[in-house]
């Protein structure tokens, strides 16, 4: 079939919105009519060439839609189901999956932006086109692995469902599953965009005490207060490490999160973490970036420095749980999604993100 999609041909160039061909779903695959796709910075990294993907590629990894058709052997979902798409469809058989870390499934990582069998369903004539995160939801239709299709029992608005494909499990999961924030503890979040706001929501769900939002834009900081932040630190005004130390009686925060993606902000998050605290790095820095960490401080102060991919979440278990939290009013995703775009406006949507417009943007399909 033909589908309209946003294709990245070359780093540093805008996405090209055009018709491409999409093959039928093979065994274990599903054809999904995309309902909405979120504007996440991870796609932007590819557009800038700060992260690499095989090109050309249809981008978009934060999505939700409706199952249109299933390939042979699919039992996990059926036509008509509303589904959240996971950008780590887990194989359930590799060492990482068996160790309970399906968010870093080895089979998925090894096959990258292709289907689990290592081939593409997207092409233009004889040129194959890769699928960002095996999702490629900046398109009207997508073929995805069935394990990356998570049905929602009670339908919710598509733009909110799309958020449960990336920024919600990543951010809320960073606080609840990766760092395991304790009640009453102090949290600092460096970078309060779509993902950072979800870390703040996760810290609030964990009953953290002080939740300190750190950003360089006043608008983002004020917006963060709506999601549970108790303090604002503008890193553009004055050293954010000093400011967080002032708020925490000179100690630093128990849990700090880096949610922008640079060597500098990783260092900032590390330095504002207190003795025996945990630093969780969520942002994806440009390839080759190295953050200078004081190796002696790490040891003497027994800090924990950890990475966090996809919120250490298990898509098939945690996405339905996050939908329940939204339905019960505990995850204010209605306030998070503030701008809608058409697929043709995808480059404009990323320019808005770069300008630091608050909240999350989403492409909505008819
Ligand atoms: N680990 C994962 O699984 C995962 C998943 C999704 C996104 N990400 C990454 O998370 C990061 C954030 O994504 P997003 O979609 O929320 O981006 P975003 O652009 O919406 O938010 C980034 C925020 O960081 C702020 N910022 C910029 N420089 C700063 C500085 N020096 N100090 C403090 N704040 C600063 C920006 O003003 C903005 O509010 C990206 O690197 C993205 O690739 C990681
Ligand atoms: Zn994302
Ligand atoms: Zn696996």
């Amino acid at each position: 079939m033909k589908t309209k999609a946003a294709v990245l041909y070359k780093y540093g160039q805008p996405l090209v919105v055009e018709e491409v061909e999409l093959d039928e779903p093979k065994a274990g695959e599903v054809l999904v009519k995309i309902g909405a796709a979120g504007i996440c910075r991870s796609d932007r990294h590819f557009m800038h060439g700060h992260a690499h993907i095989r090109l050309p590629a249809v981008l978009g990894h934060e999505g939700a839609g409706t199952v249109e058709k299933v390939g042979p052997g699919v039992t996990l979902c059926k036509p008509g189901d509303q589904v959240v798409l996971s950008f780590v469809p887990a194989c359930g058989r590799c060492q990482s999956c068996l160790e309970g870390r399906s968010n870093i499934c080895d089979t998925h990582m090894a096959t990258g932006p292709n289907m689990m069998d290592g081939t593409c369903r997207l092409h233009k004539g004889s040129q194959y086109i890769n699928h960002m995160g095996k999702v490629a939801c900046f398109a009207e239709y997508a073929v995805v692995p069935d394990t990356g299709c998570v049905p929602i029992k009670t339908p919710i608005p598509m733009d909110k469902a799309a958020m449960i494909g990336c920024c919600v499990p990543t951010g809320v999961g960073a606080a609840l599953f990766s760092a395991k924030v304790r009640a009453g503890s102090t949290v600092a979040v460096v970078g309060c965009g779509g993902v950072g706001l979800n870390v703040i929501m996760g810290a609030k769900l964990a009953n953290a005490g002080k939740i300190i939002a750190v950003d360089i834009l006043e608008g983002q900081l004020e917006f963060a207060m709506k999601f549970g932040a108790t303090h604002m630190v503008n890193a553009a005004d004055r050293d954010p490490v000093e400011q967080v130390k002032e708020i925490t009686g000179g100690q630093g925060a128990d849990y700090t999160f880096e949610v922008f993606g640079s060597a500098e902000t990783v260092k900032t998050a590390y330095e504002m973490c207190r003795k025996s605290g945990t630093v969780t790095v969520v942002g994806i820095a440009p390839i080759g970036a190295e953050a200078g960490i004081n190796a002696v401080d790490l040891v003497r102060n027994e800090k924990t420095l950890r990475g966090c991919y996809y919120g250490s979440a298990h898509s098939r278990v945690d996405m339905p749980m996050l939908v329940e939290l939204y339905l019960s009013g505990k995850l204010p995703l209605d306030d998070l999604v503030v701008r809608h775009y058409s697929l043709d406006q995808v480059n404009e949507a990323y320019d808005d993100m770069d300008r630091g417009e608050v909240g999350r943007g989403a492409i909505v399909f008819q």
Side-chain angles (χ1 to χ4, degrees):
M1 67 182 290
K2 297 230 189 269
T3 186
K4 196 162 142 185
V7 189
L8 180 67
Y9 282 98
K10 218 171 165 201
Y11 299 130
Q13 289 189 357
L15 299 179
V16 178
V17 179
E18 61 181 357
E19 273 209 333
V20 297
E21 288 150 69
L22 182 63
D23 292 340
E24 290 281 297
K26 291 193 177 173
E29 296 174 2
V30 180
L31 173 67
V32 178
K33 183 178 193 303
I34 303 298
I39 301 297
C40 176
R41 185 162 284 283
S42 296
D43 297 288
R44 194 53 152 174
H45 296 323
F46 292 125
M47 292 157 80
H48 284 148
H50 292 163
H52 287 173
I53 185 170
R54 280 197 286 278
L55 296 177
V58 170
L59 299 190
H61 65 282
E62 181 172 270
T66 309
V67 173
E68 187 89 356
K69 188 173 180 181
V70 299
V74 171
T75 53
L76 295 175
C77 59
K78 58 179 187 317
D81 283 353
Q82 184 184 28
V83 286
V84 176
L85 303 177
S86 167
F87 66 84
V88 184
C91 75
R93 293 177 175 167
C94 70
Q95 184 161 354
S96 294
C97 281
L98 295 175
E99 285 172 353
R101 309 183 74 193
S102 65
N103 60 313
I104 48 172
C105 168
D106 304 343
T107 314
H108 165 69
M109 298 294 186
T111 49
N114 300 149
M115 293 292 108
M116 288 303 214
D117 67 1
T119 63
C120 298
R121 302 291 163 268
L122 287 162
H123 57 105
K124 220 179 144 191
S126 60
Q127 178 173 48
Y128 279 97
I129 303 176
N130 296 284
H131 306 234
M132 157 69 158
K134 294 182 175 59
V135 174
C137 60
F138 288 164
E140 294 165 322
Y141 289 89
V143 169
V144 300
D146 61 349
T147 54
C149 250
V150 184
I152 300 182
K153 284 196 199 108
T154 309
I156 63 172
M158 281 292 184
D159 56 344
K160 282 45 161 193
M163 300 300 120
I164 294 176
C166 179
C167 65
V168 179
T170 300
V172 174
L176 298 186
F177 310 140
S178 309
K180 300 189 176 69
V181 168
R182 287 166 59 113
S185 60
T186 298
V187 170
V189 180
V190 182
C192 300
V195 182
L197 292 169
N198 276 284
V199 177
I200 290 171
M201 286 189 244
K204 189 177 172 198
L205 282 169
N207 283 320
K210 291 187 179 102
I211 303 177
I212 308 166
V214 183
D215 206 291
I216 49 171
L217 298 172
E218 203 61 30
Q220 303 288 52
L221 292 170
E222 280 161 17
F223 197 65
M225 299 298 281
K226 293 190 187 162
F227 294 86
T230 57
H231 296 70
M232 302 192 278
V233 162
N234 192 331
D237 287 350
R238 193 157 61 83
D239 180 11
V241 176
E242 260 177 35
Q243 295 189 66
V244 167
K245 288 209 168 155
E246 280 164 20
I247 295 167
T248 54
Q251 295 206 313
D254 298 306
Y255 299 93
T256 67
F257 296 86
E258 191 284 335
V259 207
F260 168 59
S262 74
E264 181 204 341
T265 41
V266 169
K267 202 160 185 284
T268 301
Y270 179 84
E271 287 174 357
M272 60 176 58
C273 180
R274 76 177 276 255
K275 191 174 178 180
S276 79
T278 300
V279 187
T280 302
V281 180
V282 181
I284 298 180
I287 32 180
E290 290 186 9
I293 298 295
N294 182 328
V296 176
D297 173 80
L298 176 70
V299 176
R300 286 202 185 275
N301 287 319
E302 276 211 343
K303 291 186 182 180
T304 300
L305 172 62
R306 62 159 301 160
C308 157
Y309 197 64
Y310 221 166
S312 312
H314 297 293
S315 300
R316 304 198 65 78
V317 175
D318 295 320
M319 286 176 175
M321 179 275 284
L322 293 164
V323 170
E324 285 305 315
L325 283 176
Y326 166 68
L327 287 168
S328 62
K330 296 194 175 83
L331 268 186
L333 304 185
D334 293 333
D335 300 331
L336 179 69
V337 192
V338 289
R339 274 160 290 119
H340 285 173
Y341 302 91
S342 68
L343 183 59
D344 290 315
Q345 293 173 308
V346 62
N347 291 305
E348 191 182 307
Y350 274 101
D351 291 343
D352 285 351
M353 168 180 262
D354 286 349
R355 267 196 294 275
E357 302 262 333
V358 297
R360 199 60 147 187
I363 294 171
V364 286
F365 297 81
Q366 298 311 316

